[in-house]
Amino acid sequence: MLLLGSVVLPFGAASADEGMWTFDAFPAAKMKRDYGWAPDQAWLDRVRAASVRLTGGCSASFVSGSGLILTNHHCVASCLEDLSSSGSDLLATGFIAQARTEERKCPGQQAEVVTAITDVTPRVKAAIGASAGEALVKARTAAIADLEKQGCLDTATTRCQVVTLYGGGQYKLYTYRKYSDVRIVWAPEAAAETFGGDPDNYNFPRYALDASFLRAYENGQPVATPQHLTWTAREPKKGEAIFVVGNPGSTQRLLTQSQFAYQREVNLPITLATQSELRGRLITAMRQSPDHAREGETTLYGVENNLKRTIGRTKALGDPQFNAMLARNEADLRSRSVGNAAIGDPWTDIDKAVTAQRQIDAEYRFTEPQGDLFDYALTLVRAADERSKPNGERLPAYSDSALPLLEKTLLDERPVYPWLDSLMMEWSLSKAREYLGVDHPQTRLLLGKESPEGLARRLVSGSSLADAKVRKALWDGGAAAIAASKDPMILYARALDANERRVQKLYDERVDGPITAARAKLADARFAAYGASVYPDATFSLRITYGKVGGWIENGREVDYRTTFRGAFDRATGAKPFALAPAYLARRQRIDEGGALDFVYAADTIGGNSGSPVIDRDGAVIGANFDRNIHGLRNDFAYDIDKARSIAVSTAAVEQALKVIYPAPTLLAELHAK
């Protein structure tokens, strides 16, 4: 049970070690007061320069001077799957490059390192001015596109991204050094990472070797990364201070009561139902053949992970005590804001916008089907149109700053599995018909007179967009090539595009614009009420959080903070998901079974922190964050320092794996700079 009295101060005012802090606002004074020590600017700069963001929603870190990147195995699983075939399953067997010539490029992957953070709030807010609704969204989009273009003139090596903080209260321009050639170096067998499977997910104790190595290249050579974390294979110590640096994906701690109600009553129930059905469809289809089982593995992993998170969020907002705490938080902010005429009544403004959001929820949620081929088609259709417009008038995903990564993601070669693409389309179209209704104009547009199954089969089987050369020809050919294309998926995307734009315009006018304006005022109210103790919600941008290694009390007993390889052997049943990796069994006599495997710590993390380095005060990496315990699922809405714990694989475990389980002597020598 969440201990309401000492867990969270109102709306992001940090209590204890709570907070996902931006690097330009780290609470050094508070940490020094609580710990007797805090990192100086040189420490923060070095750690920032070693921290990596990966496309696909993960974090990582440089751990050698030659571009070597430590992250989680589940963050590279899609790369391994893309590089596999029916005769070579790299997910199952693992991958070890004994020489750099054997390192293989990961399709669609890009590594990014923050080099500068600039406050551009005045410029964005000046551009918005007194505009409202859709006009506000357009003004904001144009200002952001201009700032990003001006900030990164060299798009070959840099990327600029304006990050919205506090829902519109602040805007920061993040400048990244990017590396578009990222290669897989080392990964254990999937069974070593997925041990425990869905039953163990978001739980502890854990016995997952969830670690892998990538390398960043440029011009065909490994990049020089002198600013990297020091590798240490020591075990974590109970009570020691640690830092987690990465890119937490999304939290919703600064929502109002009406927004929490929308999540509880509309969004989460629909998401829970649709994700549950997708999981069932996937499991059934994957049982049809070994190839289906291999090809659907990473998709199923993602669906099950998201489903469990949705269940946790649903339980949190279904807890009367938890909701009472959220209500008290809002009441406190309201009471502190009495007399602050500058903010007006943003709560009522948000209430009105959420009412509109409820009315158009299904229409906005189900504008298009899911599937790789449709995603390719819609990207090509929209790019042909958007690239002809001035930068500031484009959809955000097609701005000059966004186009290089979009092009890479579109054109990198990777396999498309027809059965899986058809399944995703069938499922999403059937859900659209279910929630919109058979007679809704959008349902008729999506399906015409076809069934979800028949339409999906026709489009997937008739499309040639799985061929990267075909996609490149359409990308290079622009509007003329798209207009001339007879590919059924292109024709379908063209038919849906106008309606998608219509619904987005409606959403911008009634929901996004009003909520952005109101949340900017709420940000001002929070700063006035709580000062610098207010940290922003997560936005998949670089953050740093800190805490201590240690377990928690569960049912009157202390949960140990670490697990060992012996625990994995003891837990094994021989059947999935508790079947040990073959290399464990083959090399058991050489494994130090008492050595640390995973460990937990009180640090404020969320999805997106997967792969984040766990760093000690000396700037050495002692683990790679990969999960939270079940209590941590409430972190979306509030941080429970008493019971929420983050989970990492220890560098001690990775070191042992590199020595005796999946030997990689060259990699070990590099980590130890020998």
Side-chain angles (χ1 to χ4, degrees):
M1 182 181 73
L2 191 67
L3 302 179
L4 302 178
S6 60
V7 178
V8 181
L9 290 179
F11 285 100
S15 170
D17 298 339
E18 175 186 355
M20 300 175 182
W21 302 97
T22 58
F23 265 74
D24 57 346
F26 181 75
K30 180 182 183 301
M31 183 179 182
K32 189 170 184 178
R33 185 171 63 250
D34 295 341
Y35 283 71
W37 174 87
D40 59 17
Q41 192 59 50
W43 190 99
L44 291 170
D45 288 344
R46 183 168 73 87
V47 167
R48 175 192 51 74
S51 300
V52 177
R53 182 172 73 170
L54 299 174
T55 54
C58 280
S59 300
S61 59
F62 285 123
V63 288
S64 87
S66 299
L68 188 67
I69 297 171
L70 171 67
T71 190
N72 290 152
H73 181 281
H74 76 259
C75 293
V76 306
S78 60
C79 170
L80 295 168
E81 183 182 272
D82 289 344
L83 297 176
S84 295
S85 65
S86 58
S88 176
D89 186 351
L90 299 185
L91 262 179
T93 64
F95 179 85
I96 304 173
Q98 298 293 2
R100 291 182 184 175
T101 54
E102 298 177 5
E103 296 171 1
R104 299 180 63 182
K105 187 173 182 178
C106 289
Q109 188 56 266
Q110 182 165 289
E112 300 171 342
V113 178
V114 172
T115 58
I117 304 173
T118 307
D119 189 351
V120 294
T121 305
R123 294 181 63 179
V124 177
K125 287 192 171 182
I128 291 173
S131 59
E134 185 197 7
L136 182 154
V137 176
K138 284 187 173 181
R140 180 187 64 195
T141 299
I144 287 174
D146 184 54
L147 286 163
E148 291 176 344
K149 185 171 184 177
Q150 291 178 11
C152 288
L153 299 177
D154 175 18
T155 58
T157 61
T158 60
R159 179 187 179 190
C160 281
Q161 183 180 31
V162 172
V163 177
T164 301
L165 301 173
Y166 304 99
Q170 286 183 356
Y171 297 89
K172 301 287 183 73
L173 175 65
Y174 279 59
T175 305
Y176 295 90
R177 180 65 165 88
K178 71 176 186 180
Y179 304 98
S180 298
D181 182 353
V182 179
R183 306 184 190 184
I184 185 71
V185 176
W186 179 90
E189 299 156 293
E193 180 263 313
T194 61
F195 183 81
D198 189 56
D200 271 2
N201 191 25
Y202 291 117
N203 282 299
F204 194 81
R206 292 288 288 278
Y207 304 91
L209 187 64
D210 199 351
S212 290
F213 290 96
L214 300 165
R215 193 183 305 278
Y217 279 74
E218 197 165 54
N219 300 319
Q221 298 296 320
V223 300
T225 49
Q227 294 281 67
H228 62 270
L229 299 179
T230 302
W231 178 264
T232 176
R234 74 167 180 83
E235 295 197 3
K237 301 174 184 177
K238 184 178 180 181
E240 73 170 298
I242 52 87
F243 301 83
V244 180
V245 179
N247 301 273
S250 176
T251 54
Q252 300 178 77
R253 299 178 185 177
L254 305 183
L255 300 185
T256 66
Q257 283 295 287
S258 59
Q259 289 175 302
F260 283 127
Y262 163 77
Q263 291 293 325
R264 181 172 56 249
E265 298 163 10
V266 180
N267 182 51
L268 290 174
I270 295 175
T271 302
L272 182 59
T274 54
Q275 287 177 338
S276 297
E277 181 174 326
L278 177 57
R279 177 177 183 266
R281 289 185 181 222
L282 271 170
I283 289 173
T284 299
M286 288 169 64
R287 288 172 176 166
Q288 294 177 2
S289 74
D291 280 346
H292 281 196
R294 174 181 61 82
E295 293 161 355
E297 185 172 350
T298 58
T299 300
L300 179 61
Y301 176 94
V303 170
E304 290 187 329
N305 187 67
N306 288 335
L307 175 59
K308 206 161 198 178
R309 181 185 171 206
T310 300
I311 292 170
R313 296 170 69 201
T314 300
K315 287 181 177 179
L317 291 187
D319 182 342
Q321 287 185 292
F322 190 76
N323 280 294
M325 180 193 69
L326 298 175
R328 288 196 300 273
N329 287 345
E330 181 167 307
D332 184 84
L333 180 60
R334 282 177 179 263
S335 68
R336 291 172 184 252
S337 302
V338 172
N340 188 345
I343 70 167
D345 185 8
W347 292 277
T348 297
D349 294 339
I350 289 179
D351 291 347
K352 293 177 181 177
V354 171
T355 297
Q357 186 175 15
R358 287 171 177 263
Q359 293 169 349
I360 64 172
D361 179 81
E363 196 172 2
Y364 184 70
R365 187 188 298 262
F366 297 108
T367 56
E368 64 184 57
Q370 293 192 29
D372 289 340
L373 294 178
F374 180 81
D375 287 346
Y376 286 149
L378 187 63
T379 298
L380 288 163
V381 167
R382 288 196 163 173
D385 185 30
E386 295 297 312
R387 285 188 294 171
S388 67
K389 300 176 182 178
N391 186 44
E393 296 178 14
R394 299 178 198 166
L395 296 172
Y398 299 86
S399 68
D400 283 341
S401 63
L403 279 176
L405 181 56
L406 181 72
E407 182 178 5
K408 173 181 172 57
T409 303
L410 176 74
L411 300 184
D412 275 5
E413 291 191 23
R414 55 178 297 271
V416 175
Y417 307 117
W419 72 269
L420 182 55
D421 228 50
S422 292
L423 184 150
M424 296 299 292
M425 285 198 78
E426 292 170 11
W427 162 75
S428 54
L429 287 169
S430 70
K431 295 300 96 182
R433 183 174 63 185
E434 177 182 337
Y435 284 95
L436 287 167
V438 175
D439 297 322
H440 194 285
Q442 193 160 294
T443 303
R444 293 177 177 177
L445 176 64
L446 287 166
L447 288 172
K449 292 186 177 296
E450 296 182 80
S451 67
E453 296 76 17
L455 178 60
R457 283 195 299 269
R458 178 175 68 81
L459 295 177
V460 171
S461 64
S463 179
S464 59
L465 296 182
D467 188 338
K469 296 184 179 65
V470 172
R471 300 196 298 272
K472 180 169 174 51
L474 289 168
W475 176 269
D476 293 342
I482 294 297
S485 175
K486 302 301 181 186
D487 188 289
M489 201 67 80
I490 292 288
L491 296 176
Y492 186 60
R494 290 179 62 190
L496 299 188
D497 185 40
N499 180 67
E500 286 210 57
R501 292 174 184 268
R502 176 192 67 81
V503 175
Q504 185 64 55
K505 181 177 180 180
L506 186 67
Y507 185 85
D508 290 347
E509 174 66 27
R510 298 184 183 179
V511 182
D512 190 6
I515 286 179
T516 296
R519 293 192 71 183
K521 294 178 181 178
L522 283 174
D524 291 341
R526 291 188 183 100
F527 292 137
Y530 309 120
S533 64
V534 182
Y535 60 89
D537 266 323
T539 54
F540 197 51
S541 55
L542 188 63
R543 306 292 179 88
I544 179 170
T545 186
Y546 63 91
K548 295 179 181 178
V549 173
W552 72 99
I553 303 300
E554 188 78 39
N555 297 324
R557 293 186 177 183
E558 183 177 2
V559 177
D560 195 2
Y561 73 96
R562 69 192 281 274
T563 61
T564 65
F565 282 91
R566 180 175 297 111
F569 284 101
D570 291 344
R571 200 179 187 88
T573 65
K576 287 187 176 182
F578 295 100
L580 285 168
Y584 278 44
L585 298 172
R587 298 179 175 92
R588 182 170 186 177
Q589 296 304 315
R590 300 177 59 193
I591 295 174
D592 174 10
E593 294 188 21
L597 186 46
D598 298 333
F599 66 102
V600 292
Y601 39 92
D604 195 357
T605 69
I606 201 78
N609 277 121
S610 287
S612 291
V614 182
I615 306 169
D616 67 14
R617 63 178 291 171
D618 295 325
V621 57
I622 64 170
N625 186 91
F626 70 87
D627 203 358
R628 294 168 276 159
N629 67 359
I630 200 72
H631 304 290
L633 288 173
R634 294 189 172 194
N635 285 3
D636 287 62
F637 305 121
Y639 178 52
D640 174 10
I641 194 171
D642 292 302
K643 287 193 173 184
R645 292 294 180 269
S646 300
I647 309 172
V649 57
S650 67
T651 51
V654 178
E655 177 98 353
Q656 181 165 196
L658 292 170
K659 285 181 177 178
V660 302
I661 307 176
Y662 305 98
T666 302
L667 182 55
L668 266 175
E670 179 179 356
L671 287 168
H672 292 283
K674 295 179 180 178

